[in-house]
Amino acid sequence: MIPWPYPEQNPFAENSHPLDEDLRLAALVAQRISIDWTTRRQQIAVTVQNGVVILTGMVAEPATRAAAGELAWDVPGVFDVCNALTLYGRGRGRR
């Protein structure tokens, strides 16, 4: 049995700290969302944990929700996207 190393113990990883990488990814995703014409005026919060982007907030249209998820996926280094955006007037929305 081979033990699975923690991210801090990966001998092949760069010298950057995982938290620094998460902050970098969050900034890049937030920047893309804020400048795209379909998502820039929406209430979208971006957090990143271990390379997984978590999108929360409320948007007006299903297409806007989908666009935000696609923008997050397009950022190099993103491991996964959890699109938890909800639609106005629809409760929790679809996932």
Side-chain angles (χ1 to χ4, degrees):
M1 181 170 162
I2 299 174
W4 189 266
Y6 289 105
E8 305 84 38
Q9 298 171 340
N10 185 352
F12 304 108
E14 297 178 14
N15 292 334
S16 66
H17 190 273
L19 179 61
D20 294 339
E21 179 64 11
D22 286 347
L23 292 173
R24 184 187 73 79
L25 288 174
L28 288 172
V29 171
Q31 180 184 29
R32 286 198 180 186
I33 287 174
S34 70
I35 62 174
D36 187 88
W37 68 274
T38 57
T39 55
R40 68 178 168 209
R41 299 197 190 274
Q42 304 297 313
Q43 297 175 5
I44 301 173
V46 178
T47 53
V48 179
Q49 294 178 352
N50 298 321
V52 177
V53 175
I54 304 162
L55 301 175
T56 56
M58 298 189 78
V59 295
E61 302 289 330
T64 305
R65 182 180 184 274
E70 291 172 12
L71 289 167
W73 268 115
D74 286 343
V75 174
V78 169
F79 181 73
D80 198 3
V81 175
C82 175
N83 192 341
L85 292 171
T86 57
L87 301 175
Y88 289 116
R90 297 203 186 185
R92 292 192 46 100
R94 287 185 237 154
R95 294 193 179 203

Coordinates of all heavy atoms in Angstrom, one line a residue:
M1 N 0.8 -1.2 0.0 CA 0.0 0.0 0.0 C 0.9 1.3 0.0 O 1.8 1.4 0.8 CB -0.9 0.0 1.3 CG -1.8 1.1 1.3 SD -2.9 0.8 2.7 CE -3.5 2.4 3.0
I2 N 0.6 2.1 -0.9 CA 1.4 3.4 -1.0 C 0.6 4.5 -0.3 O -0.6 4.7 -0.6 CB 1.6 3.8 -2.5 CG1 2.4 2.7 -3.2 CG2 2.3 5.1 -2.6 CD1 2.5 2.9 -4.7
P3 N 1.2 5.2 0.7 CA 0.5 6.2 1.4 C 0.3 7.4 0.4 O 1.1 7.8 -0.4 CB 1.4 6.6 2.5 CG 2.7 6.2 2.1 CD 2.5 5.0 1.2
W4 N -0.9 8.0 0.5 CA -1.2 9.2 -0.2 C -0.7 10.4 0.5 O -1.1 10.7 1.6 CB -2.7 9.4 -0.4 CG -3.1 10.4 -1.4 CD1 -3.4 11.7 -1.1 CD2 -3.2 10.3 -2.8 NE1 -3.7 12.4 -2.2 CE2 -3.6 11.6 -3.3 CE3 -3.0 9.3 -3.7 CZ2 -3.7 11.8 -4.6 CZ3 -3.2 9.5 -5.0 CH2 -3.5 10.8 -5.5
P5 N 0.3 11.2 -0.1 CA 0.9 12.3 0.6 C -0.1 13.5 0.7 O -1.0 13.7 -0.1 CB 2.1 12.7 -0.2 CG 1.7 12.2 -1.6 CD 0.8 11.0 -1.4
Y6 N 0.1 14.3 1.7 CA -0.6 15.6 1.8 C 0.0 16.5 0.8 O 1.1 16.3 0.4 CB -0.4 16.2 3.2 CG -1.2 15.4 4.3 CD1 -0.5 14.5 5.1 CD2 -2.6 15.5 4.4 CE1 -1.2 13.8 6.1 CE2 -3.3 14.8 5.3 CZ -2.6 13.9 6.2 OH -3.3 13.2 7.1
P7 N -0.7 17.5 0.4 CA -0.2 18.5 -0.6 C 1.1 19.1 -0.2 O 2.0 19.3 -1.0 CB -1.3 19.5 -0.7 CG -2.5 18.9 -0.3 CD -2.1 17.8 0.7
E8 N 1.3 19.3 1.1 CA 2.6 19.9 1.6 C 3.7 19.0 1.4 O 4.9 19.4 1.4 CB 2.5 20.3 3.0 CG 1.3 21.2 3.4 CD 0.0 20.4 3.7 OE1 0.1 19.3 4.2 OE2 -1.0 20.9 3.3
Q9 N 3.5 17.7 1.2 CA 4.6 16.7 1.2 C 4.8 16.2 -0.3 O 5.6 15.3 -0.5 CB 4.2 15.5 2.0 CG 4.0 15.8 3.5 CD 3.4 14.6 4.2 OE1 2.8 13.7 3.6 NE2 3.6 14.6 5.5
N10 N 4.2 16.8 -1.2 CA 4.4 16.5 -2.6 C 5.8 16.9 -3.1 O 6.0 18.1 -3.2 CB 3.3 17.0 -3.5 CG 3.4 16.6 -4.9 OD1 4.4 15.9 -5.3 ND2 2.4 16.9 -5.7
P11 N 6.7 16.0 -3.4 CA 8.1 16.4 -3.8 C 8.1 17.0 -5.2 O 9.0 17.7 -5.6 CB 8.9 15.1 -3.8 CG 7.8 14.0 -4.0 CD 6.6 14.6 -3.3
F12 N 7.0 16.8 -6.0 CA 6.9 17.4 -7.3 C 6.3 18.7 -7.4 O 6.2 19.3 -8.5 CB 6.2 16.4 -8.3 CG 6.8 15.0 -8.2 CD1 6.2 14.0 -7.6 CD2 8.1 14.8 -8.8 CE1 6.8 12.7 -7.6 CE2 8.7 13.5 -8.8 CZ 8.0 12.5 -8.1
A13 N 5.7 19.2 -6.4 CA 5.0 20.5 -6.4 C 6.0 21.6 -6.4 O 7.1 21.5 -5.9 CB 4.1 20.6 -5.1
E14 N 5.5 22.7 -6.9 CA 6.3 23.9 -6.9 C 6.4 24.4 -5.5 O 5.8 23.9 -4.5 CB 5.6 25.0 -7.7 CG 5.5 24.6 -9.2 CD 4.9 25.7 -10.0 OE1 4.7 26.8 -9.5 OE2 4.5 25.4 -11.1
N15 N 7.3 25.4 -5.2 CA 7.5 25.9 -3.9 C 6.4 26.7 -3.3 O 6.4 27.2 -2.2 CB 8.8 26.7 -3.9 CG 10.0 25.8 -4.1 OD1 10.0 24.6 -3.8 ND2 11.1 26.4 -4.7
S16 N 5.3 27.0 -4.1 CA 4.3 27.8 -3.6 C 3.4 27.1 -2.6 O 3.2 25.9 -2.7 CB 3.4 28.4 -4.8 OG 2.7 27.3 -5.4
H17 N 2.8 27.8 -1.7 CA 1.9 27.3 -0.7 C 0.6 27.0 -1.3 O 0.1 27.9 -2.1 CB 1.9 28.2 0.5 CG 1.2 27.7 1.7 ND1 -0.2 27.7 1.8 CD2 1.7 27.0 2.7 CE1 -0.5 27.1 3.0 NE2 0.6 26.7 3.5
P18 N -0.2 26.0 -1.0 CA -1.5 25.7 -1.5 C -2.5 26.9 -1.3 O -3.3 27.2 -2.2 CB -2.0 24.5 -0.8 CG -0.8 23.8 -0.3 CD 0.2 24.9 -0.1
L19 N -2.4 27.6 -0.2 CA -3.3 28.7 0.1 C -3.0 29.8 -0.9 O -3.9 30.5 -1.4 CB -3.1 29.2 1.5 CG -4.0 30.4 1.9 CD1 -5.5 30.1 1.8 CD2 -3.7 30.8 3.3
D20 N -1.7 30.1 -1.2 CA -1.4 31.1 -2.2 C -1.9 30.8 -3.6 O -2.4 31.7 -4.3 CB 0.2 31.2 -2.3 CG 0.8 31.8 -1.1 OD1 0.1 32.4 -0.2 OD2 2.0 31.5 -0.9
E21 N -1.9 29.5 -4.0 CA -2.5 29.1 -5.2 C -4.0 29.3 -5.3 O -4.6 29.8 -6.3 CB -2.1 27.6 -5.5 CG -2.7 27.1 -6.8 CD -2.1 27.8 -8.1 OE1 -1.1 28.6 -8.0 OE2 -2.7 27.6 -9.2
D22 N -4.7 29.0 -4.2 CA -6.1 29.2 -4.1 C -6.5 30.7 -4.2 O -7.4 31.0 -4.9 CB -6.7 28.6 -2.8 CG -6.7 27.1 -2.8 OD1 -6.6 26.5 -3.9 OD2 -6.9 26.5 -1.7
L23 N -5.7 31.5 -3.6 CA -5.9 33.0 -3.6 C -5.7 33.5 -5.1 O -6.5 34.3 -5.6 CB -5.1 33.7 -2.7 CG -5.4 33.5 -1.2 CD1 -4.3 34.2 -0.3 CD2 -6.7 34.1 -0.8
R24 N -4.7 32.9 -5.7 CA -4.4 33.3 -7.1 C -5.6 32.9 -8.0 O -6.0 33.7 -8.8 CB -3.1 32.7 -7.6 CG -2.7 33.2 -9.0 CD -1.4 32.4 -9.4 NE -1.8 31.0 -9.8 CZ -2.4 30.6 -11.0 NH1 -2.7 31.6 -11.8 NH2 -2.7 29.4 -11.2
L25 N -6.0 31.7 -7.8 CA -7.1 31.2 -8.7 C -8.4 32.0 -8.4 O -9.1 32.3 -9.4 CB -7.4 29.7 -8.4 CG -6.3 28.7 -8.9 CD1 -6.7 27.3 -8.5 CD2 -6.3 28.8 -10.4
A26 N -8.7 32.3 -7.2 CA -9.9 33.1 -6.8 C -9.8 34.5 -7.5 O -10.8 34.9 -8.0 CB -10.0 33.2 -5.3
A27 N -8.7 35.1 -7.5 CA -8.5 36.4 -8.1 C -8.7 36.3 -9.6 O -9.4 37.2 -10.2 CB -7.2 37.0 -7.8
L28 N -8.2 35.3 -10.2 CA -8.3 35.2 -11.7 C -9.8 34.9 -12.1 O -10.3 35.5 -13.1 CB -7.4 34.0 -12.2 CG -5.9 34.3 -12.2 CD1 -5.1 33.1 -12.6 CD2 -5.6 35.5 -13.2
V29 N -10.4 34.0 -11.4 CA -11.8 33.7 -11.7 C -12.7 35.0 -11.5 O -13.5 35.3 -12.3 CB -12.3 32.5 -10.8 CG1 -13.8 32.3 -11.0 CG2 -11.6 31.2 -11.2
A30 N -12.5 35.6 -10.3 CA -13.3 36.8 -10.0 C -13.1 37.9 -11.1 O -14.0 38.6 -11.5 CB -12.9 37.4 -8.7
Q31 N -11.8 38.0 -11.6 CA -11.5 39.0 -12.6 C -12.3 38.7 -13.9 O -12.9 39.5 -14.5 CB -10.0 39.1 -12.9 CG -9.6 40.1 -14.0 CD -8.2 40.0 -14.3 OE1 -7.5 39.0 -14.1 NE2 -7.6 41.2 -14.7
R32 N -12.2 37.4 -14.3 CA -12.9 37.0 -15.5 C -14.4 37.2 -15.4 O -15.1 37.7 -16.4 CB -12.6 35.5 -15.8 CG -11.2 35.3 -16.3 CD -11.1 34.0 -17.1 NE -9.7 33.9 -17.5 CZ -9.3 32.9 -18.3 NH1 -10.2 32.0 -18.6 NH2 -8.1 32.8 -18.7
I33 N -15.0 36.9 -14.2 CA -16.4 37.1 -14.1 C -16.8 38.6 -14.1 O -17.8 39.0 -14.6 CB -16.9 36.4 -12.8 CG1 -16.9 34.9 -13.0 CG2 -18.2 36.9 -12.3 CD1 -17.2 34.1 -11.8
S34 N -15.9 39.4 -13.5 CA -16.2 40.8 -13.4 C -16.1 41.6 -14.7 O -16.7 42.6 -14.9 CB -15.4 41.5 -12.4 OG -14.0 41.6 -12.8
I35 N -15.4 41.0 -15.7 CA -15.2 41.7 -17.0 C -16.1 41.1 -18.1 O -16.2 41.7 -19.1 CB -13.7 41.8 -17.4 CG1 -13.1 40.4 -17.6 CG2 -12.9 42.6 -16.4 CD1 -11.7 40.4 -18.2
D36 N -16.6 39.9 -17.9 CA -17.4 39.3 -18.9 C -18.8 40.0 -19.0 O -19.4 40.2 -17.9 CB -17.6 37.8 -18.7 CG -18.3 37.2 -19.8 OD1 -17.6 36.7 -20.8 OD2 -19.5 37.0 -19.8
W37 N -19.3 40.3 -20.1 CA -20.6 41.1 -20.2 C -21.8 40.3 -19.7 O -22.8 41.0 -19.3 CB -20.8 41.6 -21.7 CG -21.1 40.4 -22.6 CD1 -20.2 39.7 -23.3 CD2 -22.4 39.9 -23.0 NE1 -20.8 38.7 -24.0 CE2 -22.2 38.9 -23.9 CE3 -23.7 40.3 -22.7 CZ2 -23.2 38.1 -24.4 CZ3 -24.7 39.6 -23.2 CH2 -24.5 38.5 -24.1
T38 N -21.8 39.0 -19.7 CA -22.9 38.3 -19.2 C -22.9 38.1 -17.7 O -24.0 37.9 -17.1 CB -22.9 36.9 -19.8 OG1 -21.7 36.2 -19.5 CG2 -23.1 36.9 -21.3
T39 N -21.8 38.3 -17.0 CA -21.7 38.1 -15.6 C -21.3 39.3 -14.7 O -21.5 39.2 -13.5 CB -20.7 36.9 -15.3 OG1 -19.5 37.3 -15.8 CG2 -21.2 35.6 -15.8
R40 N -20.9 40.3 -15.4 CA -20.3 41.4 -14.6 C -21.2 42.2 -13.7 O -20.8 42.8 -12.7 CB -19.6 42.4 -15.5 CG -20.5 43.2 -16.4 CD -19.7 44.2 -17.2 NE -20.6 44.7 -18.3 CZ -20.1 45.1 -19.4 NH1 -18.8 45.0 -19.7 NH2 -21.0 45.6 -20.3
R41 N -22.5 42.2 -13.9 CA -23.4 42.9 -13.0 C -24.2 42.0 -12.1 O -25.3 42.4 -11.6 CB -24.4 43.8 -13.9 CG -23.6 44.8 -14.7 CD -24.6 45.9 -15.2 NE -24.0 46.7 -16.2 CZ -23.3 47.8 -15.9 NH1 -23.1 48.1 -14.7 NH2 -22.7 48.5 -16.9
Q42 N -23.7 40.8 -11.9 CA -24.4 39.8 -11.0 C -23.7 39.8 -9.7 O -22.6 40.2 -9.5 CB -24.3 38.5 -11.7 CG -24.9 38.5 -13.1 CD -26.4 38.8 -13.2 OE1 -27.2 38.3 -12.4 NE2 -26.8 39.7 -14.1
Q43 N -24.5 39.2 -8.7 CA -24.0 39.0 -7.3 C -23.3 37.7 -7.2 O -24.0 36.7 -6.8 CB -25.1 39.2 -6.3 CG -25.8 40.5 -6.3 CD -27.0 40.6 -5.4 OE1 -27.3 39.6 -4.7 NE2 -27.6 41.7 -5.4
I44 N -22.1 37.6 -7.6 CA -21.4 36.3 -7.6 C -20.1 36.4 -6.7 O -19.3 37.3 -6.8 CB -20.9 35.9 -9.0 CG1 -22.1 35.8 -9.9 CG2 -20.1 34.6 -9.0 CD1 -21.8 35.6 -11.4
A45 N -20.1 35.5 -5.7 CA -18.9 35.4 -4.8 C -18.1 34.2 -5.3 O -18.6 33.1 -5.6 CB -19.4 35.2 -3.4
V46 N -16.8 34.4 -5.2 CA -15.8 33.3 -5.7 C -15.0 32.9 -4.5 O -14.3 33.8 -3.9 CB -15.0 33.8 -6.8 CG1 -14.0 32.7 -7.2 CG2 -15.8 34.2 -8.0
T47 N -14.9 31.6 -4.2 CA -14.0 31.1 -3.2 C -13.3 29.9 -3.8 O -13.9 29.2 -4.7 CB -14.6 30.7 -1.9 OG1 -15.7 29.8 -2.1 CG2 -15.2 31.9 -1.1
V48 N -12.1 29.6 -3.4 CA -11.4 28.5 -3.9 C -10.8 27.7 -2.7 O -10.2 28.3 -1.8 CB -10.3 28.9 -4.9 CG1 -9.5 27.7 -5.4 CG2 -10.8 29.7 -6.0
Q49 N -11.0 26.4 -2.7 CA -10.4 25.5 -1.7 C -9.8 24.3 -2.4 O -10.4 23.5 -3.1 CB -11.5 25.0 -0.8 CG -12.1 26.1 0.1 CD -13.2 25.5 1.0 OE1 -13.6 24.4 0.9 NE2 -13.7 26.4 1.9
N50 N -8.4 24.2 -2.3 CA -7.7 23.1 -2.9 C -7.9 23.0 -4.4 O -8.1 21.9 -4.9 CB -8.0 21.8 -2.2 CG -7.6 21.8 -0.8 OD1 -6.6 22.4 -0.4 ND2 -8.5 21.2 0.1
G51 N -8.0 24.1 -5.1 CA -8.2 24.2 -6.5 C -9.6 24.0 -7.0 O -9.8 24.0 -8.2
V52 N -10.5 23.9 -6.1 CA -12.0 23.8 -6.4 C -12.6 25.2 -6.3 O -12.6 25.7 -5.2 CB -12.7 22.8 -5.6 CG1 -14.2 22.7 -5.9 CG2 -12.0 21.4 -5.7
V53 N -13.1 25.7 -7.4 CA -13.8 27.0 -7.4 C -15.2 26.8 -6.9 O -15.9 25.9 -7.4 CB -13.8 27.6 -8.8 CG1 -14.6 28.9 -8.8 CG2 -12.4 27.9 -9.2
I54 N -15.7 27.6 -6.0 CA -17.0 27.6 -5.5 C -17.7 28.9 -5.8 O -17.2 30.0 -5.3 CB -17.1 27.3 -3.9 CG1 -16.3 26.0 -3.6 CG2 -18.5 27.3 -3.4 CD1 -15.9 25.9 -2.2
L55 N -18.7 28.9 -6.6 CA -19.4 30.1 -7.0 C -20.7 30.1 -6.2 O -21.5 29.2 -6.3 CB -19.8 30.0 -8.5 CG -18.6 29.9 -9.4 CD1 -19.0 29.8 -10.9 CD2 -17.6 31.1 -9.3
T56 N -21.0 31.2 -5.5 CA -22.2 31.4 -4.7 C -22.8 32.8 -5.1 O -22.1 33.7 -5.5 CB -22.0 31.3 -3.2 OG1 -21.0 32.2 -2.8 CG2 -21.6 29.9 -2.8
G57 N -24.1 32.9 -4.8 CA -24.7 34.2 -5.0 C -26.0 34.0 -5.9 O -26.5 32.9 -6.0
M58 N -26.5 35.1 -6.4 CA -27.7 35.1 -7.2 C -27.5 35.7 -8.5 O -26.8 36.7 -8.7 CB -28.8 35.8 -6.4 CG -29.1 35.2 -5.1 SD -30.6 35.8 -4.3 CE -31.8 35.0 -5.3
V59 N -28.1 35.1 -9.5 CA -28.0 35.6 -10.9 C -29.4 35.6 -11.5 O -30.3 35.0 -11.0 CB -27.1 34.8 -11.8 CG1 -25.7 34.9 -11.3 CG2 -27.5 33.3 -11.9
A60 N -29.6 36.4 -12.6 CA -30.9 36.6 -13.1 C -31.4 35.5 -14.1 O -32.5 35.2 -14.2 CB -31.0 37.9 -13.9
E61 N -30.4 34.9 -14.8 CA -30.8 34.0 -15.9 C -30.0 32.7 -15.8 O -28.8 32.7 -15.4 CB -30.4 34.6 -17.3 CG -31.2 35.9 -17.5 CD -32.6 35.7 -17.8 OE1 -33.0 34.6 -18.3 OE2 -33.4 36.6 -17.5
P62 N -30.6 31.6 -16.2 CA -29.8 30.3 -16.3 C -28.6 30.4 -17.2 O -27.6 29.8 -16.8 CB -30.8 29.3 -16.9 CG -32.2 29.9 -16.5 CD -32.0 31.4 -16.6
A63 N -28.7 31.1 -18.2 CA -27.5 31.3 -19.1 C -26.3 32.0 -18.4 O -25.2 31.7 -18.6 CB -27.9 32.0 -20.4
T64 N -26.7 32.9 -17.5 CA -25.6 33.6 -16.8 C -25.0 32.7 -15.8 O -23.8 32.7 -15.6 CB -26.3 34.8 -16.0 OG1 -26.9 35.7 -17.0 CG2 -25.2 35.6 -15.3
R65 N -25.8 31.9 -15.2 CA -25.2 30.9 -14.2 C -24.3 29.9 -15.0 O -23.2 29.6 -14.5 CB -26.4 30.1 -13.6 CG -26.0 29.0 -12.6 CD -27.2 28.3 -12.1 NE -26.8 27.4 -11.1 CZ -26.4 26.1 -11.3 NH1 -26.3 25.7 -12.5 NH2 -26.1 25.3 -10.3
A66 N -24.7 29.5 -16.1 CA -23.8 28.6 -16.9 C -22.6 29.3 -17.4 O -21.5 28.7 -17.4 CB -24.6 28.1 -18.1
A67 N -22.7 30.6 -17.8 CA -21.5 31.3 -18.2 C -20.5 31.5 -17.1 O -19.3 31.4 -17.4 CB -21.9 32.7 -18.8
A68 N -21.0 31.7 -15.9 CA -20.0 31.9 -14.8 C -19.3 30.6 -14.5 O -18.1 30.6 -14.3 CB -20.8 32.3 -13.5
G69 N -20.0 29.5 -14.6 CA -19.3 28.2 -14.5 C -18.2 27.9 -15.5 O -17.1 27.5 -15.3
E70 N -18.6 28.3 -16.8 CA -17.6 28.1 -17.9 C -16.4 29.0 -17.7 O -15.3 28.6 -18.0 CB -18.3 28.4 -19.2 CG -19.4 27.3 -19.6 CD -20.2 27.7 -20.8 OE1 -19.9 28.6 -21.5 OE2 -21.2 27.0 -21.0
L71 N -16.7 30.2 -17.3 CA -15.5 31.2 -17.1 C -14.6 30.6 -16.0 O -13.4 30.7 -16.2 CB -16.0 32.6 -16.7 CG -16.7 33.3 -17.8 CD1 -17.5 34.5 -17.2 CD2 -15.7 33.8 -18.9
A72 N -15.1 30.1 -15.0 CA -14.3 29.5 -13.9 C -13.5 28.3 -14.4 O -12.3 28.2 -14.2 CB -15.2 29.1 -12.7
W73 N -14.1 27.4 -15.2 CA -13.4 26.3 -15.8 C -12.3 26.7 -16.7 O -11.3 25.9 -16.8 CB -14.4 25.4 -16.5 CG -15.0 24.3 -15.7 CD1 -16.3 24.2 -15.4 CD2 -14.4 23.2 -15.1 NE1 -16.5 23.1 -14.6 CE2 -15.3 22.4 -14.4 CE3 -13.0 22.8 -15.1 CZ2 -15.0 21.3 -13.7 CZ3 -12.7 21.6 -14.3 CH2 -13.7 20.9 -13.7
D74 N -12.4 27.8 -17.3 CA -11.4 28.2 -18.3 C -10.1 28.8 -17.7 O -9.2 29.0 -18.4 CB -12.0 29.3 -19.2 CG -13.0 28.8 -20.3 OD1 -13.0 27.5 -20.5 OD2 -13.7 29.5 -20.8
V75 N -10.1 28.9 -16.4 CA -8.9 29.4 -15.7 C -7.9 28.2 -15.5 O -8.3 27.2 -14.9 CB -9.2 30.1 -14.4 CG1 -8.0 30.4 -13.6 CG2 -10.1 31.3 -14.6
P76 N -6.7 28.3 -16.0 CA -5.7 27.3 -15.9 C -5.4 27.0 -14.4 O -5.3 28.0 -13.6 CB -4.5 27.8 -16.6 CG -5.0 28.8 -17.5 CD -6.2 29.4 -16.9
G77 N -5.4 25.8 -14.0 CA -5.1 25.4 -12.6 C -6.4 25.1 -11.8 O -6.3 24.5 -10.7
V78 N -7.6 25.3 -12.4 CA -8.8 25.0 -11.7 C -9.0 23.5 -11.8 O -9.0 22.9 -12.9 CB -10.0 25.8 -12.3 CG1 -11.3 25.2 -11.7 CG2 -9.9 27.2 -12.0
F79 N -9.2 22.8 -10.6 CA -9.4 21.4 -10.6 C -10.8 21.0 -10.8 O -11.1 20.0 -11.4 CB -8.8 20.9 -9.2 CG -8.9 19.4 -9.0 CD1 -8.1 18.5 -9.7 CD2 -9.9 18.9 -8.2 CE1 -8.2 17.2 -9.6 CE2 -10.0 17.5 -8.1 CZ -9.2 16.6 -8.8
D80 N -11.8 21.8 -10.2 CA -13.2 21.5 -10.3 C -13.9 22.8 -10.0 O -13.4 23.7 -9.5 CB -13.6 20.4 -9.3 CG -14.9 19.8 -9.6 OD1 -15.5 20.1 -10.6 OD2 -15.4 18.9 -8.8
V81 N -15.2 22.8 -10.4 CA -16.1 24.0 -10.2 C -17.4 23.5 -9.5 O -18.0 22.6 -10.1 CB -16.4 24.7 -11.5 CG1 -17.4 25.9 -11.2 CG2 -15.1 25.3 -12.1
C82 N -17.7 24.1 -8.4 CA -19.0 23.9 -7.7 C -19.8 25.1 -8.0 O -19.6 26.2 -7.4 CB -18.8 23.6 -6.2 SG -20.3 23.5 -5.3
N83 N -20.8 25.0 -8.9 CA -21.6 26.1 -9.3 C -22.9 26.1 -8.4 O -23.8 25.5 -8.7 CB -22.0 26.1 -10.8 CG -22.6 27.4 -11.3 OD1 -23.0 28.2 -10.5 ND2 -22.5 27.5 -12.6
A84 N -22.8 26.9 -7.3 CA -23.9 26.9 -6.4 C -24.7 28.2 -6.5 O -25.4 28.7 -5.6 CB -23.4 26.8 -4.9
L85 N -24.6 28.8 -7.7 CA -25.4 30.0 -8.0 C -26.9 29.7 -8.0 O -27.3 28.7 -8.6 CB -24.9 30.7 -9.3 CG -23.5 31.2 -9.3 CD1 -23.1 31.6 -10.7 CD2 -23.4 32.4 -8.4
T86 N -27.7 30.6 -7.5 CA -29.1 30.5 -7.5 C -29.7 31.5 -8.4 O -29.1 32.6 -8.6 CB -29.8 30.5 -6.1 OG1 -29.4 31.8 -5.5 CG2 -29.3 29.4 -5.3
L87 N -30.9 31.3 -8.9 CA -31.6 32.2 -9.8 C -32.6 33.0 -8.9 O -33.2 32.5 -8.0 CB -32.4 31.5 -10.8 CG -31.5 30.6 -11.8 CD1 -32.4 29.9 -12.7 CD2 -30.5 31.5 -12.5
Y88 N -32.7 34.3 -9.2 CA -33.7 35.2 -8.5 C -35.1 34.6 -8.6 O -35.5 34.2 -9.7 CB -33.7 36.6 -9.1 CG -32.5 37.4 -8.9 CD1 -31.7 37.8 -9.9 CD2 -32.2 37.8 -7.6 CE1 -30.6 38.6 -9.7 CE2 -31.0 38.6 -7.3 CZ -30.2 39.0 -8.4 OH -29.1 39.7 -8.1
G89 N -35.8 34.5 -7.5 CA -37.1 34.0 -7.4 C -37.3 32.6 -7.6 O -38.4 32.1 -7.8
R90 N -36.3 31.8 -7.5 CA -36.4 30.3 -7.7 C -35.9 29.5 -6.6 O -35.5 28.4 -6.7 CB -35.7 29.9 -9.0 CG -36.3 30.5 -10.2 CD -36.0 29.7 -11.4 NE -36.5 30.4 -12.6 CZ -36.4 29.9 -13.8 NH1 -35.9 28.8 -14.0 NH2 -36.9 30.6 -14.8
G91 N -35.8 30.1 -5.4 CA -35.3 29.4 -4.2 C -33.8 29.0 -4.4 O -33.0 29.9 -4.7
R92 N -33.6 27.8 -4.2 CA -32.2 27.3 -4.3 C -31.7 27.1 -5.8 O -30.5 27.0 -6.0 CB -32.0 26.0 -3.6 CG -32.2 26.2 -2.1 CD -31.8 25.0 -1.3 NE -30.5 24.5 -1.7 CZ -29.3 24.7 -1.1 NH1 -29.2 25.5 -0.1 NH2 -28.2 24.1 -1.5
G93 N -32.6 27.1 -6.7 CA -32.1 26.9 -8.1 C -31.7 25.5 -8.4 O -31.8 24.6 -7.6
R94 N -31.3 25.3 -9.7 CA -30.8 24.0 -10.1 C -29.3 23.9 -10.0 O -28.6 24.9 -10.2 CB -31.3 23.7 -11.5 CG -32.7 23.5 -11.6 CD -33.1 23.1 -13.0 NE -34.1 24.1 -13.5 CZ -34.3 24.4 -14.7 NH1 -33.6 23.9 -15.7 NH2 -35.2 25.3 -15.0
R95 N -28.8 22.7 -9.8 CA -27.4 22.5 -9.7 C -26.9 21.7 -10.8 O -27.3 20.9 -11.4 CB -27.0 21.9 -8.4 CG -27.3 22.9 -7.3 CD -26.7 22.4 -6.0 NE -27.0 23.5 -5.1 CZ -26.4 23.7 -4.0 NH1 -25.3 23.1 -3.7 NH2 -26.7 24.7 -3.2

